[in-house]
Each structure stands twice: as structure tokens, then as C-alpha cells.
Amino acid sequence: MSLTEHSLVKEIDYGTPRSNAEKSVTLSIDGKSLSVPEGTSIMRAAMEAGVEIPKLCATDMLDAFGSCRLCLVEIDGRAGTPASCTTPVAEGMVVHTQTERLSRLRKGVMELYVSDHSVDSLDRSKHPDADLLDTAAAVGLQEVRYGFDGAHHRNPGIDDSNPYFAFDPAKCIVCSRCVRACEEVQGTFALTVSGRGFDSIIAAGMDEKFIESECVSCGACVQACPTGSLIEKKVIEEGKPEWSEITTCAYCGVGCSFKAEMRGDEVIRMVPYKDGKANRGHSCVKGRFAWGYANHKERILKPMLRDKIDEPWREVSWKEAIARVASEFKRIQAKYGIGSIGGITSSRCTDEETFLVQKMVRATFGNNNVDTCARVCHSPTGYGLSTTFGTSAGTQDFDSVEQMDVAILIGANPTDAHPVFASRLKKRLRQGAKLIVIDPRRIDLVRTPHVEAAYHLPILPGTNVAILSALAHVIVTEGLVNEKFVRERCDWDEFSDWAEFVSQPRNSPEEVAKVCAVPAQTIRAAARLYATGGNGAIYYGLGITEHSQGSTAVMGLANLAMATGNIGRPGVGVNPLRGQNNVQGSCDMGSFPHEFSGYRHIARDDVRSAFETLWQRKLDAEPGLRIPNMLDAAVDGSFRGIYIQGEDILQSDPDTHHVAAGLAAMECVVVQDLFLNETANYAHIFLPGSTFLEKNGTFINAERRIQLVRKVMEPKNGYEDWEITCLISEAMGYPMHYNHPSEIMDEIAQLTPTFAGVSFKRLEELGSIQWPCNEKAPEGTPVMHINGFVRGKGKFVITEYIATDEKSGPRYPLLLTTGRILTQYNVGAQTRRTDNVIWHHEDGLEIHPHDAEQRGIHDGEWVKLASRSGETTLHALITERVAPGVIYTTFHHPDTQANVVTTEYSDWATNCPEYKVTAAQVSPSNGPTQWQQEYNEFARKSRRIATTIEAAE
Amino acid sequence: MSLDKFVYMANQIASFFVTQGQETAAASTADHIKKFWDPRMRAAIIAHVKAGGAGLDPVARLAIQSLPEVSSVPEVKSEVGQATQTR
């Protein structure tokens, strides 16, 4: 079946949200008897029984509002005609949804709506985009007695200021679904109904244009609009979609489910899928709108070669490119040894693609020099949680947040980096749950509409481990330990050693306050709240892991959760918010040089022999090089060739000069990507990659949730990424034959106990699966460690604070930390090639007014940012979000290259770089540094593509 | 030069395990290095200890002294022979 023969995925709108009540109520609707959970609305109960009650202001993403008066019903024994959306079911209730009286009332209501609408008849063919007329037809409206020329409500004209959607007040019926979506689903409160009666209109911000308001462009309002008043511009331009597939977003680790809605082979829009268990029908500006990069003019679609990196690229056939990769890698291995080449798997690609890259490195290259970008983000999570709990992953599903009573959010900024999770968190906080934010910067969640953190602990960058020990000190010394839990689930001797350690006076809040710069009383209060506030959940991000003590801090979090018994049930846990869409998957798939899929060390003979038997190759039992080690080895001369699938290490890895030196020292750098990224400036062979819309496979999100990625168009470059890996492997003498990615997953399941029950067929049936999925858990595992830890007894680990060697001093008195912004994604390769640049077209440097004044720096001016590693320039943003002494920037733009400044210090256990602490100095500047100018010129030259073959010579 | 980095890394690892108990620190450090370091890195640090081990903290030094010799260091810059993909 061709792709376009699929139909549009229609989702049922039940009108009001699902009730979670356990008690069931039986009633009758139009003669049908049915049982539904107590608290269900009549509207929803009717829809579940297959009876659709007309509605305009109701949708199951939002709480009932009862304003449109279209969903009226009659109930035996009750007077009047109540709205079915706001009326809950009751035992024995007898409901009628279709009566002559109701029909008359609905027509009357509808007639009024239509008379205010900018149509001149009820003829739907004349007004194909007037969705309201569909509802008019559904209630049987045949005439409008008031005519079509009367006064209409206020209409200041179309607002098309947002790059992705437009607002046409003429089509608006002021049902407030958009306003409520912005409040209830997204939690931004950017919209309101302004004015009354005919004057009423939906207003963004303070009656501003959408783009000028605090709107975050998540699309919830567009999705909620029943009349097409708010609509995607692409639908206006191209027409309504004709078919769709369910797929998984390729941006962050939340892993939102989307319907890719298509017209022919063109994407019309991405609409969040309500049955997606990670996002529950919500989205952010990136996944919802920022997918246009797939067609960007800079996307490379043909393989290219060059002998030296200062030459222009030469387009070649796939055959020639693959042959060159194979001959170069074989030549290098012959000359420098088997260990002289390696590969980097992509956390942007699918599990199947990642698995094949590591398979090729281990089986075809014959070494274990494989790594992935998790090295630079959550490798400490793997080490820390595996050591303490026994599994290298988060403990909960995202639904768990709905049962959380108090959350510690540390080193994460979800409203920017994990926006859909942030919306779910905010919803729970508005219901009364408490929040403790530990972050050097005043992130939005510290105080945002209708959400205010109970405590914000603005620690100095680099002091995570100290503050965690101080929190533990309070819990232990004030008798707040859940002793029953600890005795049952954890090793008591290890706990005792740990308790004695944290109880020492040097770990007291009063002492730690001197290190962290947070008042002792605040530390004590936060600890008490976490330990006694009910279900306590920890959510953390790269602000925990990207430190020289990253792994230690992860274990510190695990200690806190165990000591308070906050593990092993819904509402609690230790939850890493993972960065890339498939960084969990890339780790699960054995992308690290020391372990196979499922986190099993390569030195284990039983595991290795299983792989050797299936792959028919002898495999190396020694760990290979990690990314920073590869770069070092390249400079030292023992590492000479690399295959990089979908990762831009030059921009994303620390100390750019060092990365550049490593890449420049190699004889063959193969980059497989959508664009000529920064790393490709040092490449000899470029293989064009495919987007997530062009391939089949799976991604695994931060919840360990395996979800299908479905192909909606043919790869514009000719191959899905896994096929390219197969071509290289075959050319090197080790063919890997698969007809479809599902066969790769079958191999993964065969070799990996935690994936034993996973297949594409099961994923189709269940929608998604959280590993472990095997005989013990045939439908997967939403919450881990329920009756005991995977490793047996939970392990308390002593977490001594050891200050980083990256210290501020007279030359570099400030501490620089880094993070993401909502509209851009990581190195920006994708988002910079969309209209998202409207919101964030360059990286800026946040600096406290006090520090700015001392240096004579004014808002918006160029400043030079210098560290021991290097210097760059960017524009200053003066703000009190950062404390005095702390500065902050994002790293989305290659013009800035924030990583020119970051250092080579790294986590003691995993070499995860210490991005989050760099001693720095800031001074006024006239513009880009010489290095920036030279690099721009180098990048420009490096990206030249010869127009003819002759020109290359 | 990478050796400085290896020394720094070994000291960093040792300084964590020292906090877990003096008596097991060297063994744990050695185990960590064995598990996570590529053979050429281990060979370099072992050679460094044999040459005096400048810069290494006592626990790190003890740990490295306890490491087995590396048998399968990839040959560097040797021009001889065609590498095979299996060993």
C-alpha cells in the first residue's frame, strides 16, 4: 500500500475529560443502559455509548464550561434542559439527547451564532472554511430568520503576526476554548476574552498581536478552536490535510505523539495526538510547528567527497561515496591498527539506526570505539542510577506527575527545554502541589502565572552535591527518614554509613550555606517539605549531570529518594528529563564503548557470546574510546577515522578548539547529517541523512517509553539512515541484511532481556511500551522498583562534595552556566532553519545589573565573554534572573559558539563535560572576536560545493 | 598531551572512591578504570606509573599498579600487515 492510501486519523472528542473515579454509575441515555466512572459528564457518557451530543464550547482536553448552550439534554424527573457538559451522571438517571424540544432549542441557539458569523448563507460549499456551518448542519439548521446582514461582533482584522498560525476574529464565536486551552493545557494564561457582548473578542496579552504577547506558540489554542478562527497558516495556504499517520516528535526527550497530517506527500500540519501517553494531546512550538527544516534549501541531498577540508565539496553517486568510506576506513585500519577508527551514534536517529551503528563498529570495525551524545548530557544518570537502583533510567512515567504532592526541580528548566512536561507539571502545581526549585538561575517556574515555587534555592553553579548533602543532613538529623522503607528495601549498613556521613556538621545547612550561597533556613525548610509533603518526586536535568561531580549528584538524588521512601509507586521517583528525542534509546541500544544493549558490560562472556553467535563475529572484550578520548587519541595519532551519524560534536561538545584539533588530525571524517553542520567543516565525506518524517523506526523518551516513528514521505536523500549504515558495512565486508526496521527491533529483542517482549507488532497493538518489557512485564513497566530495587537492595552512596577545579578568581571572577531556550533546539541545526528564529535569532549573555554596571555594560551591547579556554562575543541581556556573580547563555547558534569558552573538565565517572560551570570574565566589546570572524570565513569556505567536477580540480 | 589528562582523570576517580572507604578505594578505582578505559589509555597510564607516576595521588597510583598488563593495545602507526576485522 502506498503511503497516500492511508486515511485521516480521526480522534473521538468526548467533550469533557475522563473521570479517574473508581466507583461506577449506571444510567440510561436514549434508551441505552451504560456504566461509567462517577464524575463523568452526561456528554462524555453519551459519546462513550456512541451518542454524539452537538457541542461548540466543549472538548475533552478542557474542563466543562457550559457556555455554548448547544449540548442541552432532558433528564427524567428534572426540570429544564441542563447542559450535558457540566452535568455529571447519577445512578439511575434517564437522559434524552434527541427530543423535539431540544432540537428546537439547539436550532435557536445555532441560528444566533450563525447570524453573527461572516457568512451570507448556510451553504457549506460556498464557505468551505466556515467550520461553524458543519455544526449548524449537524443540528439541522435550515434558515436564519435574522438574516446575515445584522451587526457582527468586533473585528479588528486578521492577526497573522505569528509565523505559524493566524487569528481571524470574523470566524470567532468567543466560546473561549482557546483561552481555556492556554490556561488549562499550556498554563501560560496569554489569552483572555476582552470586552462584553458584541464587543467581546479574544485578546492576546494586553490586547496585543499574538507575536508581541506572552504567547509561547504551543498551538493548543489552534487545536482547541472549533470554528477555524485560529488556524495553521499552512492549512490556509495549502488546504485541509487528506491523510495522516501517528508518529513521534524528533525534538526533546518528552517524546510527544503527533498526527502528521498530509496532503499528497507534503506535511500540512503536525497535530498532537491525544492518545500519546507522554503528551496527552499537547505540544510545544518546536514539535507542533518547527518541522519546515526538512525542506530547507540548505539541506544536502547528494553524497559529497573531498580530499582535503580546504577544498570545495564534490557531489558524487552513493556508490562512489560508500566505496570511499569503506576504502578509507580499511586503509586507515591497515596502517594504524584496528582501534584507529570508530563511530558516533545519533540520539536524533531511531533505536534501530543506533543499534546498527554500534553493531557496525563492534562487528565490522572490530573494536568498541562507539559513543553517543549522551556522553555529554546524561551519562552520569546512567552511572548514578545504575549504581544506586540498578537501572540506567528514570523511575516513572510522566502521568506520575498527576499524583505528585511536592516536586524538587533541580538543574532543569522544563518550560524551555521540556515544555510539554512543564505544562503537565504546572497543571499539578495549580491543583495545589508544591515545588522546590534548585537552580542558579530564576527559571520561569519559580514564579509564573498561577504557579509559585514554595522555595527557590539559587545555588552557585557547581555546588549541587553540597546542597544535596545538606538536604539529606536535615532529613536524617531531624528524624524525617522513612525507616520502614529503608529497612525493607535498602542495605541497612550502607544506609547507616551514609546517615553518619550526612549528619556530620560540615554537611549541615549552616555550613553548606557558605558554599552554596543559599540561606540555611531555606535549605532546612525545603528539606522538610520534600520529606513530609506527601508524594515527593525529583525531576532533574543537565544542571545535575554536566559537572565534574555529575554522577555523584545523581547518586545524591537517589539517596534522598530512598531515605524518604519516595521510590516505587506513582507520584514519586527520580526522573531525569532527557535532552534528545532518543537519547534514552541510544543509551539503551548499546551506544557506549563499554556496554552492549541493555547496559551489559562487554567483558561479560555470557553476553558477548550471545552477540558473537548471532552476529557471527568475534567481538572485542575491551572497552573502546569515549568521544573526548577519541579526540585526544586523534591528536596523539592513534585514532584516524570516524563515522558520525547525526551529531554535531564541533558545536555541541566542550572546548571547541580541542574538538577542532581532534577532527583536523583525522584522515577520514565521515559526517552523515541533514545539513553541512559545523562538524562537517572538518569532514572528508558527507552522506546526506533523512528526517524523522522519512523513516520507520522507534524512539525512546525519558520515561523509557518506546514509540513508533512512522514514515510519511520517501527519503529525499534516497535512503533512510539505517540503510546507509548497512551499505557501509557491506562495502567493508560485513553485510547486514534487513528488509525493514522491524527486523532490527526483532534482533534487539532477541539480544536484550529488557526488550524481550518488544516488537513493532506489539507497539502497534499497545501504542507504546515502557521497558522493561518481557515475560514478567508483557505490557511494559510504567513505574520501576515497585516491590524492590532492580539491583536487589537500594544502595546508599556517600556523596562527598569535591569542588570543581574550574574556579573563579581575579582574572575570571564570574561563573558562567548554560542552558536552552524554548524556541531553539540544541545546536539549532533544525530550529535555526525554521521561522522559530523570529523569537531567538542569536544567543545572548544574561548578566546581573550589578555585575553589568561594574563593567560599564549596557543592555543589548556587544560584550566579550572570556574564559581560560577561549573567548567569544555576544549581546548582553541585563537581568536579575541570574544572581550577582553568575552569568548565563544559550548555545544554539554557531556564530556565538558558547563552547569556545567551556572547559575540558568533566565528570569523574563518565567524562560528561562540565558545561555548567566555567569561570569567566565579561567586558564591553565592539563586535565579534577575530576568532569568530576567522571561523565564519572558514565555515563559509568549507561549505563550498563545486558546481562542476572540473571546478574541484 | 593526553597523559596529563589521564593522570587528572585517575586522580578524580580515586578521589571519589576514597570517600567510599580507604580500604576499598584503590580496588574500586582500579575496577572503574578497567571497566571504562580503552586499553591504549590504560597502557599509557601503566607505563607512566612505571616511569615514576608523577602527579598521581597515592590511591590512584596504587590502583594503577594493581591493573593487569594490557595485552591488546592497538598497534599505533605500524605500517605492517592488513588488519582483519576479526580477532
Side-chain angles (χ1 to χ4, degrees):
Chain A
M1 185 165 72
S2 83
L3 289 170
T4 49
E5 283 165 26
H6 293 247
S7 56
L8 208 56
V9 175
K10 291 269 187 206
E11 292 179 87
I12 296 171
D13 187 348
Y14 291 93
T16 64
R18 182 194 305 275
S19 163
N20 291 325
E22 282 174 15
K23 193 178 164 201
S24 176
V25 167
T26 302
L27 74 161
S28 151
I29 298 179
D30 292 349
K32 293 184 185 179
S33 176
L34 70 152
S35 296
V36 292
E38 189 175 32
T40 302
S41 70
I42 292 175
M43 174 181 279
R44 186 177 181 103
M47 197 66 216
E48 285 180 9
V51 176
E52 184 168 3
I53 300 174
K55 59 183 183 294
L56 281 170
C57 76
T59 178
D60 55 14
M61 288 289 288
L62 304 171
D63 289 341
F65 192 57
S67 96
C68 78
R69 313 314 292 172
L70 213 57
C71 71
L72 309 177
V73 293
E74 291 188 84
I75 302 169
D76 285 358
R78 288 201 199 178
T81 52
S84 62
C85 61
T86 51
T87 310
V89 295
E91 190 62 41
M93 193 181 246
V94 178
V95 180
H96 306 280
T97 75
Q98 303 285 345
T99 67
E100 203 284 317
R101 180 189 182 198
L102 291 172
S103 172
R104 191 162 32 85
L105 285 169
R106 285 179 191 149
K107 279 185 201 165
V109 170
M110 202 64 223
E111 209 175 354
L112 288 165
Y113 278 120
V114 173
S115 74
D116 179 31
H117 222 54
S118 60
V119 292
D120 56 14
S121 78
L122 289 170
D123 186 349
R124 279 188 282 174
S125 64
K126 284 173 71 182
H127 302 288
D129 57 344
D131 295 350
L132 185 72
L133 296 186
D134 297 343
T135 316
V139 300
L141 187 66
Q142 278 160 354
E143 63 163 334
V144 176
R145 290 166 291 167
Y146 315 111
F148 295 93
D149 326 322
H152 290 177
H153 63 264
R154 184 153 66 101
N155 179 4
I158 293 172
D159 177 354
D160 60 359
S161 61
N162 185 290
Y164 299 118
F165 63 85
F167 172 55
D168 181 358
K171 290 185 189 157
C172 176
I173 57 169
V174 202
C175 65
S176 92
R177 264 163 71 158
C178 53
V179 177
R180 289 177 286 135
C182 192
E183 294 177 5
E184 293 175 32
V185 179
Q186 166 55 29
T188 293
F189 295 77
L191 304 180
T192 189
V193 178
S194 154
R196 318 195 83 180
F198 263 174
D199 257 353
S200 59
I201 187 172
I202 303 300
M206 306 292 283
D207 254 330
E208 294 154 292
K209 294 220 174 272
F210 269 84
I211 198 76
E212 290 155 8
S213 74
E214 55 274 65
C215 164
V216 293
S217 203
C218 69
C221 58
V222 180
Q223 201 181 336
C225 181
T227 63
S229 174
L230 279 158
I231 193 159
E232 298 88 353
K233 285 183 173 172
K234 187 92 173 171
V235 176
I236 300 174
E237 288 158 13
E238 308 284 341
K240 287 187 179 173
E242 292 165 337
W243 64 280
S244 58
E245 276 283 11
I246 312 296
T247 193
T248 307
C249 181
Y251 278 113
C252 79
V254 174
C256 295
S257 270
F258 277 91
K259 292 181 287 186
E261 297 198 337
M262 310 289 296
R263 198 175 167 93
D265 60 358
E266 193 179 0
V267 180
I268 297 296
R269 61 182 174 190
M270 299 289 284
V271 182
Y273 183 52
K274 283 194 298 190
D275 278 348
K277 293 194 179 80
N279 57 319
R280 300 283 180 195
H282 190 37
S283 60
C284 82
V285 60
K286 296 187 285 278
R288 179 80 153 92
F289 295 119
W291 37 264
Y293 62 83
N295 295 316
H296 195 274
K297 62 180 186 331
E298 285 170 10
R299 182 166 170 201
I300 305 291
L301 299 173
K302 290 187 181 150
M304 302 191 296
L305 299 179
R306 58 183 174 188
D307 293 326
K308 295 201 186 95
I309 62 167
D310 56 2
E311 291 176 358
W313 286 104
R314 183 166 59 88
E315 288 181 350
V316 297
S317 68
W318 271 106
K319 197 172 167 196
E320 187 179 348
I322 297 292
R324 176 72 73 90
V325 176
S327 65
E328 275 297 279
F329 281 171
K330 286 205 266 192
R331 178 187 67 78
I332 290 170
Q333 282 194 310
K335 190 170 172 190
Y336 301 104
I338 286 169
S340 60
I341 62 170
I344 298 182
T345 75
S346 176
S347 295
R348 316 289 289 140
C349 285
T350 64
D351 292 312
E352 294 73 18
E353 288 165 339
T354 304
F355 186 82
L356 283 200
V357 172
Q358 63 91 35
K359 177 175 177 177
M360 178 170 78
V361 170
R362 297 188 205 280
T364 315
F365 294 1
N367 61 47
N368 289 314
N369 295 330
V370 60
D371 208 356
T372 190
C373 78
R375 174 66 51 215
V376 300
C377 64
H378 266 295
S379 51
T381 290
Y383 183 87
L385 295 186
S386 157
T387 303
T388 48
F389 298 160
T391 302
S392 297
T395 60
Q396 311 294 119
D397 57 3
F398 286 137
D399 281 353
S400 170
V401 79
E402 293 172 8
Q403 296 178 58
M404 168 277 290
D405 297 312
V406 51
I408 291 182
L409 182 67
I410 178 165
N413 182 12
T415 51
D416 281 290
H418 302 88
V420 170
F421 169 72
S423 290
R424 300 189 68 179
L425 174 64
K426 283 195 282 188
K427 187 168 192 167
R428 181 64 189 149
L429 295 171
R430 289 196 304 273
Q431 291 166 352
K434 299 279 191 293
L435 178 65
I436 299 160
V437 174
I438 307 177
D439 200 294
R441 191 165 163 267
R442 198 186 66 219
I443 60 170
D444 280 355
L445 280 166
V446 171
R447 192 159 188 270
T448 190
H450 300 269
V451 166
E452 185 161 17
Y455 302 103
H456 175 212
L457 282 55
I459 56 169
L460 283 178
T463 61
N464 287 330
V465 170
I467 194 89
L468 294 174
S469 294
L471 293 170
H473 176 95
V474 178
I475 289 167
V476 171
T477 57
E478 296 190 7
L480 306 176
V481 169
N482 184 336
E483 193 178 323
K484 182 169 177 288
F485 180 93
V486 174
R487 282 195 183 276
E488 277 174 19
R489 305 281 188 90
C490 306
D491 185 297
W492 184 256
D493 289 342
E494 284 166 352
F495 167 77
S496 303
D497 290 347
W498 173 80
E500 189 200 0
F501 161 73
V502 296
S503 301
Q504 291 166 12
R506 66 199 160 93
N507 288 319
S508 70
E510 289 67 25
E511 285 303 308
V512 167
K514 297 171 192 165
V515 176
C516 297
V518 175
Q521 278 316 309
T522 313
I523 301 173
R524 287 196 178 270
R528 289 170 193 146
L529 176 60
Y530 172 68
T532 63
N535 282 340
I538 296 170
Y539 292 93
Y540 71 95
L542 305 181
I544 277 287
T545 56
E546 288 174 350
H547 287 279
S548 60
Q549 280 199 290
S551 293
T552 314
V554 172
M555 295 188 281
L557 295 173
N559 290 338
L560 284 179
M562 289 188 290
T564 53
N566 278 312
I567 279 284
R569 63 179 189 278
V572 299
V574 179
N575 308 284
L577 296 171
R578 305 208 59 151
Q580 312 270 10
N581 54 320
N582 197 37
V583 67
Q584 180 70 54
S586 71
C587 297
D588 300 341
M589 291 302 107
S591 293
F592 288 138
H594 66 280
E595 62 195 7
F596 288 115
S597 58
Y599 305 97
R600 293 159 301 155
H601 201 276
I602 42 153
R604 277 177 56 182
D605 291 338
D606 58 330
V607 177
R608 204 173 59 259
S609 81
F611 281 83
E612 286 175 339
T613 306
L614 194 69
W615 291 355
Q616 290 293 299
R617 284 269 156 157
K618 187 99 182 92
L619 302 176
D620 191 354
E622 288 282 7
L625 295 166
R626 302 178 278 200
I627 293 172
N629 311 144
M630 290 180 195
L631 296 165
D632 288 337
V635 174
D636 287 352
S638 71
F639 190 82
R640 290 287 163 184
I642 191 165
Y643 170 55
I644 303 174
Q645 186 176 81
E647 182 160 348
D648 191 359
I649 57 170
L650 188 76
Q651 198 182 337
S652 66
D653 286 34
D655 196 351
T656 306
H657 297 315
H658 176 67
V659 180
L663 288 168
M666 294 186 209
E667 293 180 12
C668 182
V669 174
V670 181
V671 167
Q672 183 170 321
D673 211 295
L674 301 175
F675 304 101
L676 283 170
N677 60 18
E678 304 310 308
T679 307
N681 293 338
Y682 290 87
H684 306 89
I685 302 172
F686 185 88
L687 304 173
S690 54
T691 74
F692 76 112
L693 297 166
E694 299 165 350
K695 58 175 77 160
N696 286 301
T698 58
F699 291 154
I700 305 177
N701 75 354
E703 312 164 281
R704 297 169 275 105
R705 187 181 300 285
I706 311 160
Q707 303 187 102
L708 286 168
V709 177
R710 292 186 177 91
K711 184 171 172 174
V712 292
M713 58 177 76
E714 292 303 324
K716 291 188 197 303
N717 57 322
Y719 292 108
E720 299 179 34
D721 289 279
W722 62 272
E723 294 176 299
I724 301 167
T725 308
C726 289
L727 289 172
I728 297 172
S729 191
E730 179 163 13
M732 289 186 72
Y734 183 71
M736 306 191 288
H737 287 302
Y738 305 95
N739 297 309
H740 189 271
S742 61
E743 296 173 8
I744 306 172
M745 180 53 88
D746 292 341
E747 181 172 321
I748 295 163
Q750 190 182 341
L751 286 167
T752 318
T754 43
F755 282 70
V758 180
S759 67
F760 276 39
K761 186 167 168 285
R762 283 298 276 163
L763 286 164
E764 292 277 1
E765 288 164 7
L766 297 171
S768 65
I769 297 172
Q770 287 175 271
W771 67 259
C773 173
N774 45 32
E775 270 182 11
K776 277 192 223 159
E779 299 202 344
T781 313
V783 175
M784 295 202 72
H785 315 297
I786 286 184
N787 291 314
F789 287 98
V790 168
R791 75 183 298 279
K793 292 282 186 186
K795 182 181 176 67
F796 279 88
V797 175
I798 288 172
T799 55
E800 183 83 64
Y801 170 62
I802 301 171
T804 170
D805 286 327
E806 177 67 8
K807 289 183 170 56
S808 56
R811 278 186 69 201
Y812 300 105
L814 303 170
L815 287 176
L816 169 74
T817 187
T818 58
R820 289 186 195 170
I821 204 157
L822 171 67
T823 52
Q824 296 290 342
Y825 190 76
N826 272 21
V827 297
Q830 289 140 318
T831 46
R832 279 187 286 110
R833 293 179 173 97
T834 69
D835 284 334
N836 280 25
V837 290
I838 285 177
W839 289 283
H840 184 82
H841 64 283
E842 62 174 30
D843 298 314
L845 184 82
E846 291 189 1
I847 183 167
H848 190 273
H850 174 76
D851 291 327
E853 194 181 338
Q854 273 193 332
R855 290 165 175 77
I857 290 165
H858 300 106
D859 198 45
E861 285 182 357
W862 282 105
V863 290
K864 187 176 84 177
L865 169 66
S867 76
R868 294 180 183 97
S869 288
E871 57 188 46
T872 186
T873 55
L874 61 181
H875 288 105
L877 287 165
I878 297 178
T879 172
E880 290 181 349
R881 267 181 192 267
V882 288
V886 177
I887 50 177
Y888 169 88
T889 186
T890 49
F891 51 89
H892 304 303
H893 291 270
D895 301 342
T896 332
Q897 293 270 16
N899 284 325
V900 169
V901 180
T902 53
T903 70
E904 276 197 287
Y905 289 115
S906 67
D907 174 47
W908 66 268
T910 68
N911 276 163
C912 177
E914 186 163 56
Y915 287 115
K916 300 296 183 183
V917 193
T918 305
Q921 178 59 296
V922 179
S923 54
S925 161
N926 292 324
T929 61
Q930 191 185 349
W931 184 86
Q932 277 170 297
Q933 286 168 357
E934 284 170 8
Y935 182 82
N936 282 344
E937 177 56 16
F938 164 68
R940 191 194 62 76
K941 271 178 109 172
S942 181
R943 294 198 172 108
R944 285 171 303 160
I945 299 171
T947 44
T948 63
I949 289 169
E950 285 76 30
E953 291 169 354
Chain B
M1 173 62 185
S2 301
L3 195 58
D4 297 341
K5 262 189 213 169
F6 298 161
V7 168
Y8 185 85
M9 284 161 63
N11 286 342
Q12 224 185 337
I13 295 164
S15 67
F16 171 80
F17 286 111
V18 164
T19 66
Q20 307 301 303
Q22 280 292 342
E23 58 281 13
T24 55
S28 301
T29 304
D31 183 55
H32 189 94
I33 290 174
K34 200 159 169 285
K35 262 188 180 157
F36 296 104
W37 285 29
D38 171 273
R40 76 194 82 176
M41 296 163 66
R42 298 205 312 268
I45 197 92
I46 290 170
H48 178 65
V49 165
K50 285 183 179 161
L56 280 168
D57 294 343
V59 171
R61 181 190 301 262
L62 259 178
I64 292 157
Q65 280 166 346
S66 76
L67 285 177
E69 283 293 329
V70 178
S71 55
S72 60
V73 190
E75 65 276 36
V76 175
K77 290 186 180 173
S78 79
E79 302 275 341
V80 288
Q82 173 76 37
T84 54
Q85 277 138 33
T86 53
R87 278 190 279 176

